[in-house]
Amino acid sequence: VPILIGIESLSSANLEKINKGQTVIECLQVIKFAERYGVKCCYNLMCGLPFENESDFIEAERVIQFIKHCIPPFDLEIFRLTNGSAVQRNPAEYCVEHLGIRQSLEGMLIPKELQSDYIPFFLEFESTLPGLEKRKERWNTLIQDWIDFYYDYAKSGRPKLHSALYMRKNEYVLDIYDSRYGKGYSVYSFSGLQRAIYEYCNTIRSFSEIVSYFNLCSEEEIMEILNSFVEKKLMFKEEANFLSLAI
């Protein structure tokens, strides 16, 4: 039985704006564990948010590069403005103007003399920020590229043997195999403190937690290792929180 995960956005600013109550790294943790344990899940991402700016899109685009090995959204949902919502009540705060009846839908069905008395559920609007329609097109391309990558094995009729980012370990070494960015796998081998930190960050850990746990090591040494993982996109960082990504 598939489960529905409430993700909606991979932009920290957008999650805050829609009062989602979760962070980007928390979203990634759920998606990662669903991938690891074979949990069938569905989620969507929203585009066309009137308050989404170029920085928000670039952030989401960057985040997706970290999780190309995880299941993509089943749907790209175009934002619809509902009557009575916080966006409708506070249009300036949400970069919205020119609210009204949707002329391409209800506007074609309801006589003009009755439209002023009609209370629509969804409203037409314009964003005060530039580039909204272009970003919708870029969103479509971004998600389709993710879908094509993730399901490439199925399209070619090959069985899926491993994730595009997975790990193997023995008593001494942790090997991470990464094929998210090219043909074949790049292999990273970690032991000692590097391995211990990567495995400790299997769930979200704050920097203070990591430093406290590995208290015999210097903060500088720990941060150098964490930054190396993030640079290779083997680990995700949001503010002072870290999450290992290999399946």
Side-chain angles (χ1 to χ4, degrees), residues 5-9 11-24 26-27 44 46:
I5 304 173
I7 302 295
E8 269 67 72
S9 179
S11 157
S12 55
N14 286 348
L15 287 173
E16 183 176 352
K17 203 77 170 180
I18 64 177
N19 197 28
K20 189 62 184 175
Q22 65 200 35
T23 61
V24 171
E26 288 171 336
C27 294
N44 62 30
M46 287 196 296

Side-chain angles (χ1 to χ4, degrees), residues 91-211:
E93 180 182 346
Y94 292 93
C95 306
V96 166
E97 62 183 1
H98 304 150
L99 287 80
I101 189 172
R102 296 180 298 179
Q103 292 300 324
S104 61
L105 294 171
E106 295 94 338
M108 298 180 67
L109 301 173
I110 300 171
K112 286 187 179 295
E113 60 271 20
L114 299 178
Q115 289 182 12
S116 60
D117 297 322
Y118 174 70
I119 302 176
F121 186 73
F122 293 117
L123 293 166
E124 195 168 74
F125 69 92
E126 292 180 11
S127 172
T128 60
L129 300 178
L132 180 65
E133 294 305 317
K134 284 289 185 183
R135 273 193 295 276
K136 286 182 186 178
E137 296 175 11
R138 291 163 65 197
W139 264 113
N140 279 312
T141 300
L142 179 63
I143 300 305
Q144 190 57 56
D145 287 347
W146 185 3
I147 291 170
D148 290 343
F149 173 81
Y150 184 83
Y151 291 108
D152 177 66
Y153 72 94
K155 291 179 180 179
S156 61
R158 294 180 285 108
K160 185 175 182 179
L161 301 177
H162 300 288
S163 167
L165 180 68
Y166 74 98
M167 58 185 176
R168 287 177 172 173
K169 55 186 176 181
N170 57 37
E171 185 179 354
Y172 306 103
V173 177
L174 171 68
D175 290 326
I176 298 178
Y177 299 79
D178 185 4
S179 66
R180 292 170 296 173
Y181 312 111
K183 294 182 179 180
Y185 281 93
S186 298
V187 183
Y188 303 95
S189 296
F190 303 110
S191 59
L193 181 60
Q194 288 180 313
R195 171 180 178 167
I197 290 176
Y198 196 84
E199 292 182 330
Y200 183 68
C201 294
N202 180 51
T203 57
I204 298 168
R205 304 288 188 180
S206 68
F207 183 64
S208 60
E209 285 180 303
I210 300 168
V211 169

